[in-house]
Amino acid sequence: MVLVDGGGHAEKGGAAEESAVDYRGNPADGSRTGGWLAAGLILGTELSERICVMGISMNLVTYLVGDLHLPSSKSANVVTNFLGTLNLLGLLGGFVADAKLGRYLTVAISASIAAIGVTLLTLATSIPSMKPPRCDDSRTMKSHCIEASGGQLALLFIALNTIALGGGGIKSNVSGFGSDQFDLSNPKERKAMIYFFNRFYFCISLGSLFAVTVMVYVQDNVGRGWGYGMSAGTMAVAVAVLVAGMRRYRFKKPQGSPLSVVWRVLFLAWKRRNLEYPSHPSLLHEFHNAKVQHTPRLRCLDKAAVVEEEQIARCGGEGWRNNPWVVSRVSEVEEVKMVLKLLPIWSTCILFWTVYSQMNTFTIEQATFMNRNIGAFQIPAASFSVFLFLTILLVTSLNERVTVPVARRFTRSPQGITSLQRVGVGLLLSVLGMVAAGAVEKHRRESAVNNNVKIRAFWLIPQFFIVGAGEAFAYVGQLEFFIREAPEGMKSMSTGLFLSTLSMGFFVSSVLVVVVGKATKGGWLKSNLNVARLDYFYWMLAVLGVVNFSVFVVFATKHRYKAQLQGEELIIKTCDQDNDEKGSP
């Protein structure tokens, strides 16, 4: 039985996108495969991944500080490094899917690896010898607390890295595999596709909401082992559901390693940098047969597709045409152009996730220094993240039902609001979120130091609300941008590129914590936030956010969407044809 790698093309009457096949490798039947049912089964895997990852990351810092007695800054870096590694490994997952296994097999294998990782984490937090002796309060009696040893941390780190490996493979492929279930040549499915990314994020936000309420409560009040054991069971069920729906999916055949194409084009363009441009782009290799139309931007890369007579003579016969190291096709050059044009936007998306990472670390630590009681019940510190995900769900729903329909009336575009406009709104809200976070922390610290009063933890709601609203815009906008603007054969890799912005954001947060700690000699970031100046750290992020947003606006206004460039090329070709018919030079 052929799963993904079978070839074949759909017939015109089959109602499925060309090159889409079923699980047997036959042309996909649009009436029996794809659509929202198939996409929903696929999204169940991402839902489970989000329950596991968010249930771990949002509450891990309290475990590291409270049970393993690690310093607050070191604990924050463990969390951000875990999330950074997970998202960075999305590039590896995307590469494997595009080059060899296909999205389905990559997701299935990655989900199985993640289930193993959560099982190891369950053991790491359940075995008594994996934790140091207990102490009364690791913040006020630090001298009486023994920090966890390297041996005690070893199994924990092995588990986290295993989860990161599996989670990266899921995240980089599940959205692309889900979008494969919609045929853009079918008007009905094209309309459904417009809502796919919004509903995709709404769905995984539900998983996050469940994680920071039910899973966090079980971890804090029943036991870490029980909480992580439930996560492992959830991933196992997700794998079973994914496999059970195999007959419903549409598959795309892997088109080879996209990184090899990028490397070859860049190498040939550099090697031929001293060549003259041809008199007309139509003289480039495979210009008239190109699957991706030629565009005039980044002309320096066109030299990779210049046909050199000396090399043709050296190769002999027609063999040079099929040797990618002799000359690149126009389609390959254009695909590399598409990837390179994503990088300026990519660079300005990183800081948003640096800001967002504070919601997983220092904001949770803030909650532990605040009044979290409702009557006799004390809310777990990590559960205050519920306001973050409630905001994401609310804003995502409003975007689909209000923002997009209203924007359509003004723009007359099916999208309503473009992907880069979404990202811009998210970046701006992240700046406001850090301003609010700094103000709240200043008020909390002054109340604790001057009046010995713990203010209510509900003061954290504004920063959760603003950053959550920003994420609802930024995540959907970035995901849509990187998938739509990337070449068709690099969809999983482009998702991995998007995830690398999250990764870099978390790693930048870790670097900033280290740099700020050394620059201030530990004055801003201490385990005891009452003697630290966390508010200064938040405001520093706000200033960096303003600078980053300004750079983003410059890049965004210069970016030309793929559809725009193709339309311009079509106009150019039409003009050239008219000139040829009229005998113009």
Side-chain angles (χ1 to χ4, degrees):
M1 179 176 62
V2 179
L3 292 179
V4 184
D5 296 330
H9 298 277
E11 297 177 358
K12 291 184 178 180
E17 188 175 0
E18 185 180 358
S19 79
V21 298
D22 63 16
Y23 75 106
R24 293 183 182 275
N26 300 318
D29 184 345
S31 63
R32 297 182 179 181
T33 62
W36 278 113
L37 176 58
L41 294 174
I42 294 166
L43 292 182
T45 308
E46 175 61 18
L47 179 70
S48 300
E49 182 271 340
R50 183 52 69 101
I51 290 175
C52 291
V53 171
M54 297 310 296
I56 294 167
S57 62
M58 297 303 290
N59 204 26
L60 184 59
V61 70
T62 61
Y63 176 74
L64 296 173
V65 173
D67 292 287
L68 301 186
H69 314 146
L70 300 184
S72 180
S73 58
K74 184 176 180 179
S75 300
N77 281 358
V78 169
V79 176
T80 52
N81 288 339
F82 162 64
L83 292 172
T85 302
L86 185 149
N87 289 288
L88 185 62
L89 286 172
L91 278 173
L92 175 63
F95 171 79
V96 171
D98 284 341
K100 189 66 177 178
L101 294 182
R103 297 183 186 107
Y104 170 75
L105 285 178
T106 305
V107 171
I109 293 171
S110 298
S112 302
I113 293 173
I116 294 172
V118 184
T119 302
L120 292 175
L121 184 64
T122 303
L123 295 175
T125 55
S126 301
I127 300 174
S129 61
M130 291 293 102
K131 291 183 284 188
R134 302 178 100 185
C135 60
D136 294 331
D137 190 332
S138 62
R139 287 184 294 270
T140 59
M141 300 179 64
K142 187 174 180 180
S143 59
H144 296 281
C145 294
I146 300 175
E147 186 176 327
S149 66
Q152 291 172 323
L153 294 173
L155 183 57
L156 176 72
F157 289 153
I158 290 172
L160 291 177
N161 285 318
T162 304
I163 296 168
L165 178 61
I170 295 171
K171 293 175 77 68
S172 60
N173 290 285
V174 72
S175 57
F177 189 35
S179 65
D180 285 344
Q181 309 310 309
F182 300 94
D183 181 3
L184 296 182
S185 64
N186 183 314
K188 184 178 179 180
E189 293 193 18
R190 183 172 64 248
K191 184 177 180 180
M193 177 68 173
I194 294 173
Y195 295 104
F196 170 74
F197 294 109
N198 226 38
R199 293 179 182 178
F200 165 77
Y201 198 59
F202 183 89
C203 176
I204 61 177
S205 295
L206 282 176
S208 300
L209 187 63
F210 179 82
V212 300
T213 51
V214 177
M215 302 301 288
V216 166
Y217 179 82
V218 172
Q219 291 167 18
D220 283 358
N221 295 278
V222 180
R224 293 274 171 171
W226 284 99
Y228 296 144
M230 289 173 60
S231 296
T234 301
M235 283 306 310
V237 171
V239 174
V241 171
L242 181 71
V243 173
M246 187 168 59
R247 293 173 179 269
R248 295 289 312 181
Y249 305 141
R250 295 174 190 169
F251 303 94
K252 297 290 185 66
K253 183 179 179 181
Q255 300 181 16
S257 169
L259 290 181
S260 297
V261 175
V262 173
W263 163 245
R264 284 199 308 265
V265 170
L266 294 178
F267 172 76
L268 289 174
W270 172 258
K271 184 180 178 181
R272 301 174 173 189
R273 62 190 182 277
N274 295 324
L275 291 179
E276 294 183 0
Y277 288 101
S279 58
H280 193 274
S282 61
L283 298 176
L284 296 173
H285 183 46
E286 295 287 343
F287 176 86
H288 295 291
N289 298 324
K291 295 179 181 179
V292 182
Q293 293 180 344
H294 177 266
T295 56
R297 307 191 78 181
L298 294 175
R299 289 183 64 213
C300 59
L301 296 181
D302 287 344
K303 292 185 178 181
V306 174
V307 179
E308 292 185 90
E309 294 183 1
E310 292 183 4
Q311 286 192 328
I312 294 175
R314 204 177 300 133
C315 292
E318 294 292 315
W320 64 273
R321 292 184 180 275
N322 298 319
N323 188 339
W325 290 101
V326 173
V327 62
S328 298
R329 294 181 174 86
V330 167
S331 294
E332 294 174 330
V333 173
E334 291 303 316
E335 288 177 344
V336 175
K337 288 182 182 181
M338 290 180 192
V339 173
L340 293 181
K341 286 186 287 189
L342 300 178
L343 296 183
I345 301 299
W346 175 88
S347 65
T348 54
C349 291
I350 292 172
L351 194 65
F352 176 86
W353 300 107
T354 300
V355 169
Y356 175 81
S357 68
Q358 310 315 312
M359 301 298 105
N360 298 349
T361 53
F362 287 121
T363 299
I364 303 301
E365 189 67 8
Q366 277 181 280
T368 64
F369 283 83
M370 302 171 81
N371 182 0
R372 296 178 278 120
N373 294 324
I374 298 181
F377 177 73
Q378 186 178 69
I379 304 173
S383 290
F384 279 89
S385 301
V386 69
F387 296 107
L388 178 74
F389 299 111
L390 283 175
T391 301
I392 293 170
L393 292 172
L394 174 63
V395 176
T396 303
S397 299
L398 288 176
N399 282 345
E400 183 172 322
R401 298 178 181 275
V402 179
T403 306
V404 172
V406 170
R408 280 176 181 163
R409 296 180 182 179
F410 293 95
T411 62
R412 296 182 180 179
S413 168
Q415 284 183 276
I417 178 172
T418 67
S419 54
L420 289 182
Q421 287 170 343
R422 291 177 188 266
V423 174
V425 172
L427 291 179
L428 193 57
L429 287 173
S430 71
V431 173
L432 297 177
M434 286 298 94
V435 172
V440 169
E441 173 59 16
K442 184 175 185 294
H443 174 54
R444 185 209 64 76
R445 184 178 180 278
E446 289 177 349
S447 298
V449 174
N450 298 333
N451 303 318
N452 197 27
V453 173
K454 286 186 175 182
I455 66 172
R456 302 282 288 176
F458 292 102
W459 276 92
L460 296 174
I461 292 178
Q463 63 205 68
F464 278 126
F465 179 84
I466 298 172
V467 175
E471 186 185 0
F473 280 97
Y475 191 104
V476 175
Q478 289 180 40
L479 182 61
E480 180 183 1
F481 174 79
F482 283 100
I483 286 184
R484 285 196 170 195
E485 294 300 294
E488 181 62 28
M490 301 183 185
K491 190 176 288 187
S492 293
M493 279 297 296
S494 65
T495 307
L497 188 63
F498 154 64
L499 292 174
S500 70
T501 65
L502 281 73
S503 172
M504 294 302 297
F506 292 125
F507 285 137
V508 167
S509 177
S510 297
V511 171
L512 283 177
V513 167
V514 173
V515 171
V516 169
K518 290 183 177 180
T520 62
K521 298 181 179 179
W524 287 14
L525 304 174
K526 293 178 179 291
S527 295
N528 187 347
L529 296 186
N530 290 338
V531 297
R533 292 313 305 250
L534 183 59
D535 51 338
Y536 291 171
F537 182 72
Y538 284 148
W539 285 331
M540 180 194 73
L541 287 175
V543 173
L544 292 176
V546 171
V547 176
N548 182 72
F549 177 75
S550 302
V551 176
F552 168 80
V553 170
V554 174
F555 288 152
T557 51
K558 291 183 178 181
H559 181 81
R560 307 297 294 276
Y561 288 100
K562 186 164 63 174
Q564 290 177 313
L565 292 172
Q566 290 173 347
E568 291 173 0
E569 179 65 18
L570 182 60
I571 293 173
I572 293 171
K573 280 194 170 186
T574 303
C575 292
D576 288 344
Q577 290 173 358
D578 291 342
N579 289 335
D580 291 340
E581 291 174 359
K582 295 176 182 178
S584 300

